[in-house]
Amino acid sequence: MSIVRHESAGILSKAVEHGGLVHLAGIVADDLSQDAKGQAQQILAAIDALLAKCGSNKSKVLSAVIWVSDIRYRAPMNEAWSAWTDAKNLPARACIEAKLADPRALVEIMVVAAK
C-alpha cells in the first residue's frame, strides 16, 4: 500500500494518505490575532481544503483531537465546530487544554478521515 504525503516541510507533512485514511497534522490558524472562534473557523476551513486535496471531506471525519490553550476557549471553539460539522456525521472527538507552541495560538485541531 502506498503512502502519499501532502505539503511536507520542515518537521511534518500537513496530510498523509494511507490505507483509505487521511491523517492531518495539528492545524493552527494563519491569523493568530483572532479570538478562539475566529481561529477555529480558519482551522476548519484549512481542514476542508486539505481533506479535499486528499479526496475526502468533513462528512468522512472519523476522529478529531482539539487542543485549546485555555479550557474557557472550548465554548467559542464549539460554536465554530457546531456550525462546521454535520449533525448526522459527527466524529469521535476529544478537547484538551494544553500549552500550544505559539502563545498566540488559542486552538489547534487534528483529524483522521476516511477517503
Side-chain angles (χ1 to χ4, degrees):
M1 240 176 219
S2 66
I3 298 172
V4 180
R5 301 173 198 281
H6 299 274
E7 299 188 32
S8 299
I11 61 169
L12 58 84
S13 296
K14 286 191 177 179
V16 177
E17 298 178 56
H18 176 67
L21 296 176
V22 177
H23 300 265
L24 298 190
I27 307 296
V28 295
D30 289 328
D31 179 1
L32 297 176
S33 68
Q34 292 193 8
D35 63 9
K37 182 178 180 180
Q39 287 189 24
Q41 289 169 328
Q42 286 181 62
I43 293 164
L44 296 168
I47 288 171
D48 279 336
L50 282 167
L51 290 174
K53 182 180 276 191
C54 298
S56 188
N57 62 65
K58 65 184 173 185
S59 73
K60 296 179 180 181
V61 172
L62 303 171
S63 64
V65 178
I66 302 168
W67 295 272
V68 290
S69 62
D70 186 312
I71 202 65
R72 292 175 291 183
Y73 297 143
R74 185 176 183 271
M77 178 280 302
N78 274 334
E79 289 179 35
W81 177 264
S82 294
W84 179 75
T85 56
D86 175 354
K88 294 178 181 171
N89 294 299
L90 294 172
R93 191 190 99 164
C95 184
I96 305 156
E97 180 183 49
K99 186 174 184 177
L100 302 179
D102 186 321
R104 299 169 301 154
L106 307 178
V107 179
E108 183 170 346
I109 303 175
M110 179 176 155
V111 304
V112 175
K115 292 260 309 177

